[in-house]
Amino acid sequence: MEPIIHSLLETDLYKFSMGQAIYHQFSDYKTTWSFKCRNQDVFFTPEMVAEITRQIQLFCDLRFSEDELQYLDSIRWIKGSYVDFLRIWNPRFEDFDISTDDPCGLHLEVRGSWLNSSMYEIPTLAIVNEVYFRMHYNYSSLLVSYESRLDEKIRRLESGELNIGSFSEFGLRRRLSAEAEELAIKKLAEHKYPGSVFVGTSNVFLAKKYNLLAVGTMAHEWIMCIGQGCHRHNPSYSNWYALNAWTKEYGILNGTALTDTITTDCFLKDFQLTFATLFSGVRHDSGDPYAWGEKMIRHYERLGIDPKTKTLLFSDSLNFEKADAINSYFKGRVKVAFGIGTYISNDTDVPALNIVMKTTACNGVDVAKISDVEGKGMCKSEEYVDYLRRCIDWRMTHER
């Protein structure tokens, strides 16, 4: 196979958002990342694992070009010191542990500095995904079905049948292929829609290539590592530590807060007037989107903040129909935007993979996510998950 990842820009923007803050504030942190395939009927053959290994080796040979660094430097909130660091940065294949020793056929784990290991997640998942679909199916047939479905999606937006407001493409990690994702970006950007606006993509490489907005701020790893990776922190205050470090780095810039790392209710304990004012909005990634949106609107109102000045960004397993319904429901009450992933980047005649790479340890201790629904977390220690839940429950019960 040809190389799947062609540029170190071929990752989600939030990796650079978090990367800069990690570089300036947490450069000594160490993390472990673990791969998991949530599909029960998927198996990676030894030939697939060999190709995945080769593709990761090719990825580790890449370096940033001066043109790419100039592009990053042009982003308002990226600082020259971080760009200078990226000039000498490169992925390390030595950080990867890859084998066939797993029930799904693929064992994949990464250990190293947070600065390094965070940057591996998205390209690695894109590699695993593309290798699987090219080697397990007739890829040409899949691409035909993908383009046909994409054209129908665009038709429904163009006709005004669906009106989803502002939306971006978030599908790099689970895309059918680099070719398919680029096709979607190109076609979506070429058309105009009466009730929808294609804003851009989380894929920095394609945002640069097509002169679109690169979109993304923080991921769950940010809250997990800062709040739980420091032994002195009570993990139920993870959001406060993470939000405080973010505003130290960015002030009022680059501000969309992720709410569900240790439940949205616990997040709201820390998302009080200062943070709620500084951050331009919040992101939904689990649980009922309508109940979550209502909760956020009430929270802003209690703080004396007009919800119409804030943005609710929805990014949980969306399609255009769901986005249309959510957009209609909240219209006129709050700003709404959507980050839509697999539905744009890997909608074919066969089911998409549900694969993840999650931070499972930081600085030698377990870390975990407890989202607003069961099944989205991943931790190697049930004992630690129980401890984290008890910390959260105590705070929610006793703190006024």
Side-chain angles (χ1 to χ4, degrees):
M1 289 172 57
E2 293 296 313
I4 290 172
I5 304 297
H6 298 90
S7 165
L8 292 180
L9 286 185
E10 208 164 348
T11 190
D12 287 335
L13 181 69
Y14 65 22
K15 288 300 181 178
F16 294 109
S17 302
M18 293 184 293
Q20 176 171 284
I22 294 167
Y23 174 66
H24 287 142
Q25 300 181 55
F26 305 100
S27 59
D28 59 334
Y29 275 35
K30 306 287 187 182
T31 54
T32 299
W33 291 71
S34 304
F35 170 83
K36 183 177 182 179
C37 179
R38 292 171 173 161
N39 305 75
Q40 296 300 310
D41 57 345
V42 166
F43 183 78
F44 295 90
T45 66
E47 292 77 16
M48 291 178 188
V49 175
E51 182 60 24
I52 288 166
T53 302
R54 190 181 76 87
Q55 289 289 341
I56 290 173
Q57 288 175 319
L58 292 172
F59 159 68
C60 290
D61 289 337
L62 295 172
R63 302 294 183 270
F64 285 104
S65 70
E66 283 302 314
D67 178 62
E68 291 170 337
L69 292 170
Q70 287 173 17
Y71 172 79
L72 289 174
D73 200 33
S74 71
I75 297 174
R76 185 181 179 191
W77 42 262
I78 288 187
K79 300 170 184 176
S81 57
Y82 181 54
V83 173
D84 284 340
F85 164 73
L86 292 177
R87 184 169 281 110
I88 60 172
W89 181 81
N90 61 275
R92 297 180 71 254
F93 183 71
E94 295 79 6
D95 292 341
F96 289 83
D97 177 15
I98 311 170
S99 73
T100 58
D101 188 21
D102 189 273
C104 79
L106 173 62
H107 166 83
L108 206 168
E109 198 159 70
V110 166
R111 296 181 187 88
S113 72
W114 191 14
L115 267 173
N116 277 0
S117 52
S118 176
M119 294 291 281
Y120 303 155
E121 176 197 3
I122 307 302
T124 297
L125 290 174
I127 285 169
V128 171
N129 217 70
E130 185 162 346
V131 167
Y132 179 81
F133 281 101
R134 283 187 180 274
M135 295 183 72
H136 187 69
Y137 294 102
N138 182 320
Y139 171 76
S140 297
S141 296
L142 287 185
L143 189 64
V144 170
S145 71
Y146 172 80
E147 186 167 9
S148 174
R149 290 169 182 240
L150 175 64
D151 288 342
E152 175 61 14
K153 294 180 179 77
I154 291 173
R155 184 198 67 75
R156 298 181 74 189
L157 293 182
E158 277 192 304
S159 70
E161 177 185 344
L162 296 174
N163 299 288
I164 65 176
S166 298
F167 73 102
S168 303
E169 185 269 340
F170 275 20
L172 196 167
R173 73 187 63 204
R174 293 175 184 162
R175 67 191 183 186
L176 172 64
S177 65
E179 177 186 20
E181 186 187 22
E182 182 163 357
L183 179 66
I185 297 299
K186 185 173 182 294
K187 287 197 170 192
L188 286 166
E190 284 175 348
H191 294 79
K192 300 298 180 185
Y193 316 104
S196 309
V197 179
F198 179 56
V199 175
T201 173
S202 62
N203 184 329
V204 184
F205 177 76
L206 292 179
K208 176 180 181 294
K209 183 171 182 177
Y210 289 97
N211 195 29
L212 296 166
L213 182 67
V215 182
T217 52
M218 68 176 70
H220 296 99
E221 67 177 275
W222 177 253
I223 298 101
M224 291 163 61
C225 290
I226 294 173
Q228 301 170 40
C230 178
H231 304 187
R232 298 185 302 275
H233 291 171
N234 179 330
S236 66
Y237 292 84
S238 294
N239 288 299
W240 186 90
Y241 290 110
L243 296 173
N244 188 60
W246 197 266
T247 56
K248 179 181 177 182
E249 186 71 29
Y250 295 114
I252 64 171
L253 299 177
N254 199 27
T256 301
L258 183 57
T259 71
D260 71 330
T261 306
I262 54 170
T263 76
T264 294
D265 287 338
C266 194
F267 168 84
L268 293 179
K269 287 280 189 183
D270 295 313
F271 197 62
Q272 295 302 317
L273 186 59
T274 298
F275 290 142
T277 301
L278 288 173
F279 282 82
S280 59
V282 287
R283 178 159 74 93
H284 171 266
D285 200 51
S286 65
D288 185 302
Y290 300 98
W292 176 87
E294 293 287 359
K295 183 178 293 186
M296 292 309 310
I297 289 172
R298 289 194 302 271
H299 186 73
Y300 280 126
E301 289 174 341
R302 279 197 299 268
L303 296 175
I305 296 172
D306 182 357
K308 294 178 184 177
T309 66
K310 299 298 180 179
T311 299
L312 304 185
L313 174 60
F314 295 88
S315 63
D316 180 32
S317 303
L318 292 171
N319 57 37
F320 286 173
E321 290 81 3
K322 291 179 182 178
D324 175 79
I326 293 170
N327 186 52
S328 176
Y329 181 86
F330 288 108
K331 191 169 185 176
R333 301 173 61 201
V334 65
K335 297 177 186 176
V336 171
F338 301 96
I340 303 176
T342 308
Y343 178 73
I344 291 178
S345 69
N346 196 356
D347 182 19
T348 72
D349 289 341
V350 303
L353 291 184
N354 188 354
I355 55 174
V356 294
M357 277 189 75
K358 297 290 187 184
T359 324
T360 51
C362 181
N363 296 332
V365 297
D366 294 296
V367 296
K369 179 179 77 164
I370 298 178
S371 68
D372 291 334
V373 294
E374 295 293 330
K376 298 198 79 172
M378 183 173 168
C379 181
K380 293 184 175 181
S381 170
E382 287 301 320
E383 185 179 10
Y384 178 75
V385 173
D386 178 66
Y387 162 71
L388 178 57
R389 288 188 187 278
R390 287 188 286 110
C391 288
I392 296 168
D393 290 344
W394 191 95
R395 185 180 181 196
M396 299 303 296
T397 302
H398 294 84
E399 186 178 289
R400 297 289 181 262

Short mmCIF file of all heavy atoms in Angstrom, two decimals, residues 94-122:
data_model
loop_
_atom_site.label_atom_id
_atom_site.label_comp_id
_atom_site.label_asym_id
_atom_site.label_seq_id
_atom_site.Cartn_x
_atom_site.Cartn_y
_atom_site.Cartn_z
N GLU A 94 9.89 3.87 18.41
CA GLU A 94 10.23 3.13 19.63
C GLU A 94 9.15 3.26 20.70
O GLU A 94 9.11 2.46 21.65
CB GLU A 94 11.58 3.63 20.19
CG GLU A 94 12.77 3.35 19.31
CD GLU A 94 12.91 4.32 18.14
OE1 GLU A 94 12.14 5.30 18.08
OE2 GLU A 94 13.79 4.08 17.29
N ASP A 95 8.27 4.25 20.58
CA ASP A 95 7.20 4.44 21.57
C ASP A 95 6.04 3.46 21.36
O ASP A 95 5.17 3.35 22.23
CB ASP A 95 6.64 5.87 21.49
CG ASP A 95 7.64 6.91 21.96
OD1 ASP A 95 8.60 6.55 22.67
OD2 ASP A 95 7.47 8.10 21.62
N PHE A 96 6.02 2.76 20.23
CA PHE A 96 4.90 1.88 19.88
C PHE A 96 5.17 0.42 20.28
O PHE A 96 6.28 -0.08 20.11
CB PHE A 96 4.63 1.93 18.37
CG PHE A 96 4.03 3.22 17.88
CD1 PHE A 96 4.84 4.31 17.61
CD2 PHE A 96 2.66 3.34 17.70
CE1 PHE A 96 4.30 5.51 17.15
CE2 PHE A 96 2.11 4.52 17.24
CZ PHE A 96 2.92 5.62 16.98
N ASP A 97 4.15 -0.24 20.78
CA ASP A 97 4.18 -1.68 21.05
C ASP A 97 3.05 -2.31 20.23
O ASP A 97 1.87 -2.13 20.55
CB ASP A 97 3.98 -1.92 22.55
CG ASP A 97 3.93 -3.40 22.90
OD1 ASP A 97 4.32 -4.23 22.05
OD2 ASP A 97 3.50 -3.73 24.02
N ILE A 98 3.41 -3.01 19.16
CA ILE A 98 2.42 -3.56 18.23
C ILE A 98 2.63 -5.06 18.10
O ILE A 98 3.75 -5.52 17.90
CB ILE A 98 2.55 -2.92 16.83
CG1 ILE A 98 2.61 -1.38 16.93
CG2 ILE A 98 1.40 -3.34 15.92
CD1 ILE A 98 2.98 -0.70 15.64
N SER A 99 1.54 -5.82 18.22
CA SER A 99 1.64 -7.27 18.06
C SER A 99 0.26 -7.83 17.70
O SER A 99 -0.73 -7.08 17.62
CB SER A 99 2.14 -7.94 19.34
OG SER A 99 1.14 -7.93 20.35
N THR A 100 0.19 -9.14 17.53
CA THR A 100 -1.08 -9.81 17.26
C THR A 100 -1.70 -10.37 18.54
O THR A 100 -2.69 -11.11 18.49
CB THR A 100 -0.88 -10.95 16.25
OG1 THR A 100 0.08 -11.87 16.80
CG2 THR A 100 -0.38 -10.43 14.91
N ASP A 101 -1.15 -10.03 19.67
CA ASP A 101 -1.54 -10.62 20.95
C ASP A 101 -2.76 -9.94 21.54
O ASP A 101 -2.70 -9.22 22.56
CB ASP A 101 -0.36 -10.55 21.93
CG ASP A 101 -0.63 -11.32 23.22
OD1 ASP A 101 -1.49 -12.20 23.20
OD2 ASP A 101 0.04 -11.00 24.24
N ASP A 102 -3.91 -10.14 20.88
CA ASP A 102 -5.17 -9.59 21.36
C ASP A 102 -6.31 -10.37 20.71
O ASP A 102 -6.16 -10.85 19.58
CB ASP A 102 -5.29 -8.09 20.99
CG ASP A 102 -6.47 -7.41 21.66
OD1 ASP A 102 -7.59 -7.45 21.11
OD2 ASP A 102 -6.28 -6.83 22.75
N PRO A 103 -7.45 -10.54 21.41
CA PRO A 103 -8.56 -11.28 20.80
C PRO A 103 -9.02 -10.73 19.44
O PRO A 103 -9.48 -11.50 18.59
CB PRO A 103 -9.68 -11.14 21.85
CG PRO A 103 -8.95 -11.00 23.14
CD PRO A 103 -7.72 -10.21 22.82
N CYS A 104 -8.88 -9.40 19.23
CA CYS A 104 -9.27 -8.83 17.93
C CYS A 104 -8.17 -8.96 16.89
O CYS A 104 -8.34 -8.55 15.74
CB CYS A 104 -9.69 -7.38 18.09
SG CYS A 104 -8.32 -6.20 18.23
N GLY A 105 -7.00 -9.50 17.31
CA GLY A 105 -5.90 -9.68 16.38
C GLY A 105 -4.88 -8.56 16.38
O GLY A 105 -3.80 -8.71 15.79
N LEU A 106 -5.20 -7.42 17.03
CA LEU A 106 -4.29 -6.28 17.03
C LEU A 106 -4.12 -5.75 18.44
O LEU A 106 -5.05 -5.21 19.03
CB LEU A 106 -4.83 -5.17 16.12
CG LEU A 106 -4.06 -3.83 16.15
CD1 LEU A 106 -2.61 -4.02 15.69
CD2 LEU A 106 -4.77 -2.78 15.29
N HIS A 107 -2.91 -5.91 18.97
CA HIS A 107 -2.52 -5.25 20.21
C HIS A 107 -1.70 -4.02 19.83
O HIS A 107 -0.72 -4.12 19.09
CB HIS A 107 -1.67 -6.17 21.08
CG HIS A 107 -0.96 -5.46 22.19
ND1 HIS A 107 -1.56 -5.15 23.39
CD2 HIS A 107 0.30 -4.95 22.26
CE1 HIS A 107 -0.72 -4.51 24.17
NE2 HIS A 107 0.43 -4.38 23.51
N LEU A 108 -2.11 -2.86 20.32
CA LEU A 108 -1.41 -1.63 19.98
C LEU A 108 -1.42 -0.73 21.22
O LEU A 108 -2.48 -0.34 21.71
CB LEU A 108 -2.11 -0.93 18.81
CG LEU A 108 -1.27 -0.01 17.92
CD1 LEU A 108 -2.04 0.34 16.65
CD2 LEU A 108 -0.88 1.27 18.64
N GLU A 109 -0.24 -0.43 21.71
CA GLU A 109 -0.12 0.45 22.87
C GLU A 109 1.05 1.40 22.65
O GLU A 109 2.02 1.06 21.97
CB GLU A 109 0.09 -0.38 24.14
CG GLU A 109 -0.19 0.37 25.42
CD GLU A 109 -0.48 -0.57 26.59
OE1 GLU A 109 0.46 -1.24 27.04
OE2 GLU A 109 -1.65 -0.64 27.04
N VAL A 110 0.93 2.58 23.23
CA VAL A 110 1.96 3.60 23.09
C VAL A 110 2.35 4.07 24.49
O VAL A 110 1.49 4.31 25.33
CB VAL A 110 1.45 4.80 22.25
CG1 VAL A 110 2.37 5.99 22.39
CG2 VAL A 110 1.31 4.41 20.79
N ARG A 111 3.65 4.21 24.73
CA ARG A 111 4.14 4.75 25.99
C ARG A 111 5.21 5.78 25.69
O ARG A 111 6.07 5.55 24.84
CB ARG A 111 4.73 3.66 26.88
CG ARG A 111 3.75 2.61 27.33
CD ARG A 111 4.43 1.57 28.22
NE ARG A 111 3.53 0.47 28.54
CZ ARG A 111 3.38 -0.61 27.80
NH1 ARG A 111 4.07 -0.72 26.67
NH2 ARG A 111 2.55 -1.57 28.15
N GLY A 112 5.17 6.90 26.41
CA GLY A 112 6.19 7.92 26.23
C GLY A 112 5.76 9.24 26.80
O GLY A 112 4.79 9.31 27.57
N SER A 113 6.45 10.29 26.45
CA SER A 113 6.07 11.62 26.93
C SER A 113 4.69 11.98 26.37
O SER A 113 4.33 11.55 25.28
CB SER A 113 7.10 12.67 26.50
OG SER A 113 7.01 12.91 25.11
N TRP A 114 3.94 12.74 27.16
CA TRP A 114 2.62 13.18 26.69
C TRP A 114 2.77 13.99 25.41
O TRP A 114 1.95 13.90 24.50
CB TRP A 114 1.94 13.98 27.80
CG TRP A 114 0.49 14.28 27.58
CD1 TRP A 114 -0.36 13.71 26.67
CD2 TRP A 114 -0.31 15.20 28.32
NE1 TRP A 114 -1.62 14.23 26.78
CE2 TRP A 114 -1.62 15.16 27.80
CE3 TRP A 114 -0.04 16.08 29.39
CZ2 TRP A 114 -2.65 15.96 28.29
CZ3 TRP A 114 -1.06 16.86 29.89
CH2 TRP A 114 -2.36 16.80 29.34
N LEU A 115 3.84 14.77 25.32
CA LEU A 115 4.10 15.56 24.12
C LEU A 115 4.14 14.68 22.88
O LEU A 115 3.63 15.06 21.82
CB LEU A 115 5.45 16.28 24.27
CG LEU A 115 5.47 17.69 24.82
CD1 LEU A 115 6.91 18.15 25.04
CD2 LEU A 115 4.74 18.65 23.90
N ASN A 116 4.77 13.53 22.99
CA ASN A 116 4.86 12.63 21.85
C ASN A 116 3.59 11.81 21.66
O ASN A 116 2.98 11.80 20.59
CB ASN A 116 6.04 11.66 22.04
CG ASN A 116 7.36 12.25 21.63
OD1 ASN A 116 7.43 13.39 21.20
ND2 ASN A 116 8.42 11.48 21.78
N SER A 117 3.20 11.11 22.72
CA SER A 117 2.16 10.10 22.57
C SER A 117 0.81 10.69 22.18
O SER A 117 0.04 10.06 21.46
CB SER A 117 2.03 9.28 23.86
OG SER A 117 1.88 10.13 24.99
N SER A 118 0.52 11.90 22.62
CA SER A 118 -0.73 12.54 22.22
C SER A 118 -0.81 12.71 20.71
O SER A 118 -1.89 12.59 20.12
CB SER A 118 -0.87 13.91 22.90
OG SER A 118 -2.02 14.58 22.46
N MET A 119 0.32 12.96 20.08
CA MET A 119 0.34 13.22 18.65
C MET A 119 0.20 11.95 17.80
O MET A 119 0.03 12.02 16.59
CB MET A 119 1.65 13.93 18.28
CG MET A 119 1.78 15.33 18.86
SD MET A 119 0.63 16.51 18.12
CE MET A 119 1.49 16.87 16.59
N TYR A 120 0.26 10.79 18.43
CA TYR A 120 0.16 9.54 17.68
C TYR A 120 -1.27 9.07 17.48
O TYR A 120 -1.56 8.31 16.55
CB TYR A 120 0.92 8.42 18.40
CG TYR A 120 2.38 8.69 18.67
CD1 TYR A 120 3.04 8.05 19.73
CD2 TYR A 120 3.12 9.56 17.88
CE1 TYR A 120 4.38 8.27 19.97
CE2 TYR A 120 4.46 9.79 18.13
CZ TYR A 120 5.09 9.14 19.19
OH TYR A 120 6.42 9.36 19.45
N GLU A 121 -2.19 9.46 18.37
CA GLU A 121 -3.53 8.88 18.40
C GLU A 121 -4.25 8.94 17.05
O GLU A 121 -4.68 7.91 16.51
CB GLU A 121 -4.39 9.57 19.46
CG GLU A 121 -5.82 9.08 19.49
CD GLU A 121 -6.78 10.00 20.22
OE1 GLU A 121 -6.35 11.08 20.67
OE2 GLU A 121 -7.97 9.64 20.32
N ILE A 122 -4.40 10.12 16.50
CA ILE A 122 -5.24 10.30 15.32
C ILE A 122 -4.64 9.63 14.08
O ILE A 122 -5.33 8.87 13.38
CB ILE A 122 -5.53 11.79 15.06
CG1 ILE A 122 -6.11 12.47 16.32
CG2 ILE A 122 -6.49 11.95 13.87
CD1 ILE A 122 -7.38 11.84 16.84
#
